Amino acid sequence: MSENKKAEKIVGVKGMNDILPADAPLWELFENTVYTVLKSYGFQQIRTPIVEPTALFSRGLGEVTDIVEKEMYSFVDSMNGDNLTLRPENTASVVRAALEHNLTYDGPKRLWYAGPMFRHERPQRGRYRQFHQVGAEAIGFTGPDIDAELIMMCQRLWDDLGLENIRLELNSIGDAEERNKHRVDLIAYFEQHKSLLDADAQRRLHANPLRILDTKNPAMQEMVNAAPQLINYLGEESRAHFEGVQKILRHNNIPFTINPRLVRGMDYYNRTVFEWVTDQLGSQGTVCGGGRYDPLIEMFGGKPTPACGFAMGVERLLELMKASGEQFAPNQCDIYLVHQGEAAQLQSFVLAERLRNAGLDVVLHCASANAGGSFKAQMKRADGSGAAFAVIIGEDEVAQATATVKNLRSTDGASVQVTIPFDTVSDYIVDQITGDDDHGHDHTHCTHH
Ligand code: ATP
Ligand code: MG
C-alpha cells in the first residue's frame, strides 16, 4: 500500500446487498410492525444458526427441488471436513432446533424467525443471493384453525404495513396417498403431451411431476391448466380440513381464490398450501408462501408432529411499501452539540450524557477528516443533521457555566437563541419539545413519519 500503485477496491458478493442507512427507517418500521403483530398472536421468536449440516436441507427439502438441485451455498469446513450449507430457508432449521431441544414436550409451540437466507440464483429484481425472510412455524397443531390463524396473521401484517394489493391464493395438496394416486394420472397426462414439455419438465416428469404444475413457461400454460387436479383426489379427511380453513377465512372476511395449480417448492408440504401474491412487482410477485408440513418432523426422526408455517420475502414487501408512496423520513437526532476549545469539549461530553439520560438523541460533534472544526463548519453539520436544536458551548459559556440553545426549526424566520445555565439545558429542551409539540414527539427513539 505504501507503493504509489493504488490498492484495488474489493466489492461485495454479487446478488448480496448492503442495506444502507437511507433504507434503515423502512427496515425498522417493517421489523417493528412484524414484531408487534406476531407477538399479538402469541408467537415466540427463535434464532437458529445461519450454517447447518448440508444433510438437513437435502433430506428436509427433497433432492428434486430448485433449492437442493442448484441453489445451495454448500461448502466443506476445511478444519474438519464437515459438509455445511448456508441456510436457503429456515423451516428445516426451526424443526431441527425444536426436536433437538424437545420444544414441544409440554404442548404445541408458535414460533417465528427473521433473518438472511442464501440461494445461488440469477440475481434480478426481487431475487437475490442473500435475501431476508420473516417466517412463522406453528408446531404440534393438528386442525385447520391454526392454518387460518397463520393466514389471518399475514393479513393483519399487510394491513398494519399499509399494503393493499396482496391477494391470497389457496389450495390443498392432500396427503401422500392422495398425491400418489394423482401422480399416476398426472404422469400419464404429461406423457400424452410430451412434445409440449420443456427440458425442466422432462426432467421432473418422473421425479417431481407436481412441480411441473407451477411452471412459468407460457407455452405450457394451456396444457398444464387442463391437467388432472389434485383437489379432485382428496379423501374425506383432507377435504374436511380444507373446508375448515375456508370456513374460518370466510367468516372473518378474508378474501381468497382457490388455485388448483398451486403447489409449493418443498417436498415436506401436505394439505393446506397458500401464497400471497401481488401484481405490482413484475414476475417476482409472490411475497409470502406457506402451508402445512405434517410429515417433516417424522422425516427428521421425531415422533409424528403436525405443523404449519409460512415464510415471507422481506425485500419484496419493502419494495411494495416504497411503492405505496409513503415517505420514510431519515432517522434524525434531537440535538447537535457544538463546542469550541478543549474545556468546552470536556463540558459537552458531560452535557451530552445528561441529555441522553433525559431520553434525547444527541449527536456530539467529533473531529473528522473532511471538515474543519470551526464554529461555522460545526453549525453546518448541525443543520445537516436534521436536529431540532443546536446546543453550543464556547469559551464564554464555559466561563459562565451556561450553554446556548438554538432552535434550528423555528418557523417564525427569526433564529431563536437563548443562553441559559448549564444545569437547566436538559429540562429546557425537554420542555420545548414536549410543550409546544402536539404531534407527540417520541424521545426514546427516532420516529418515522
Ligand atoms: P420462487 O417461486 O419465487 O422462486 P420460492 O418458492 O423459491 O419462490 P419460498 O422458498 O417459498 O420461495 O420463499 C418464500 C418467499 O421468500 C418467497 O415468496 C419470496 O417472497 C421470498 N424469496 C424466495 N427466494 C428469494 C430470493 N432469491 N430473493 C428474494 N426473495 C426471495
Ligand atoms: Mg425459488
Side-chain angles (χ1 to χ4, degrees), residues 111-127:
L111 305 171
W112 73 276
Y113 61 82
M117 307 296 156
F118 304 85
R119 297 185 193 179
H120 202 283
E121 308 199 66
R122 190 170 68 77
Q124 54 193 290
R125 180 186 185 197
R127 204 178 280 293

Side-chain angles (χ1 to χ4, degrees), residues 66-67 70-71 119 121 127 131 211 216 265-266 316:
D66 282 350
I67 291 179
K70 54 185 191 216
E71 295 174 359
R119 297 185 193 179
E121 308 199 66
R127 204 178 280 293
F131 63 100
R211 279 313 301 269
K216 305 216 161 74
M266 275 69 93
R316 295 184 192 179

Side-chain angles (χ1 to χ4, degrees), residues 90-388:
N90 211 25
T91 300
S93 312
V94 169
V95 165
R96 177 204 49 74
L99 265 176
E100 202 168 316
H101 306 285
N102 203 12
L103 287 188
T104 53
Y105 80 99
D106 60 348
K109 284 284 172 304
R110 288 176 167 88
L111 305 171
W112 73 276
Y113 61 82
M117 307 296 156
F118 304 85
R119 297 185 193 179
H120 202 283
E121 308 199 66
R122 190 170 68 77
Q124 54 193 290
R125 180 186 185 197
R127 204 178 280 293
Y128 311 104
R129 291 182 173 174
Q130 176 177 308
F131 63 100
H132 295 76
Q133 287 185 337
V134 165
E137 312 293 353
I139 303 178
F141 295 91
T142 53
D145 46 358
I146 196 75
D147 308 20
E149 181 182 281
L150 286 162
I151 289 170
M152 287 176 63
M153 187 161 76
C154 291
Q155 179 68 65
R156 178 179 288 274
L157 184 61
W158 315 149
D159 291 346
D160 286 3
L161 292 170
L163 300 176
E164 281 171 352
N165 298 308
I166 306 180
R167 59 173 199 278
L168 174 61
E169 296 195 350
L170 201 60
N171 194 20
S172 173
I173 58 169
D175 62 23
E177 208 181 305
E178 291 152 4
R179 277 199 302 280
N180 280 336
K181 284 193 198 134
H182 170 253
R183 184 193 157 100
V184 173
D185 291 356
L186 192 62
I187 292 176
Y189 174 84
F190 286 142
E191 296 270 10
Q192 280 169 23
H193 299 86
K194 210 159 184 173
S195 58
L196 290 171
L197 299 182
D198 60 18
D200 235 20
Q202 298 268 4
R203 204 168 36 83
R204 284 175 165 156
L205 182 54
H206 291 277
N208 198 347
L210 208 55
R211 279 313 301 269
I212 299 176
L213 291 177
D214 70 357
T215 176
K216 305 216 161 74
N217 184 347
M220 289 172 58
Q221 296 306 311
E222 204 180 321
M223 182 273 291
V224 164
N225 272 329
Q229 298 189 343
L230 184 41
I231 206 158
N232 297 323
Y233 291 73
L234 299 188
E236 193 72 30
E237 278 183 54
S238 291
R239 206 185 305 256
H241 188 100
F242 194 34
E243 275 302 323
V245 179
Q246 295 176 55
K247 191 174 171 186
I248 298 172
L249 295 180
R250 280 199 207 94
H251 186 76
N252 288 281
N253 301 315
I254 309 286
F256 60 87
T257 53
I258 292 177
N259 174 0
R261 272 178 56 183
L262 179 64
V263 294
R264 302 275 307 133
M266 275 69 93
D267 275 2
Y268 50 61
Y269 284 106
N270 72 323
R271 289 195 174 165
T272 316
V273 291
F274 60 88
E275 278 187 1
W276 292 92
V277 190
T278 178
D279 297 323
Q280 290 182 291
L281 295 177
S283 54
Q284 263 55 257
T286 305
V287 293
C288 177
R292 206 159 248 291
Y293 51 93
D294 298 334
L296 184 61
I297 291 166
E298 216 179 341
M299 274 165 57
F300 282 171
K303 52 177 200 278
T305 310
C308 190
F310 64 70
M312 58 185 73
V314 177
E315 282 81 357
R316 295 184 192 179
L317 287 163
L318 294 183
E319 202 183 326
L320 278 186
M321 285 168 73
K322 279 186 177 170
S324 77
E326 201 186 330
Q327 291 299 307
F328 302 96
N331 285 347
Q332 289 174 338
C333 60
D334 297 310
I335 295 156
Y336 195 96
L337 237 161
V338 170
H339 50 83
Q340 281 289 273
E342 199 187 331
Q345 184 195 36
L346 287 173
Q347 276 294 71
S348 70
F349 268 89
V350 174
L351 182 56
E353 292 304 324
R354 283 197 197 169
L355 292 164
R356 292 178 187 126
N357 288 343
L360 298 166
D361 299 333
V362 184
V363 173
L364 173 62
H365 183 85
C366 285
S368 65
N370 56 358
S374 74
F375 179 72
K376 209 172 138 212
Q378 290 193 41
M379 285 309 289
K380 217 171 142 196
R381 286 279 153 124
D383 277 327
S385 73

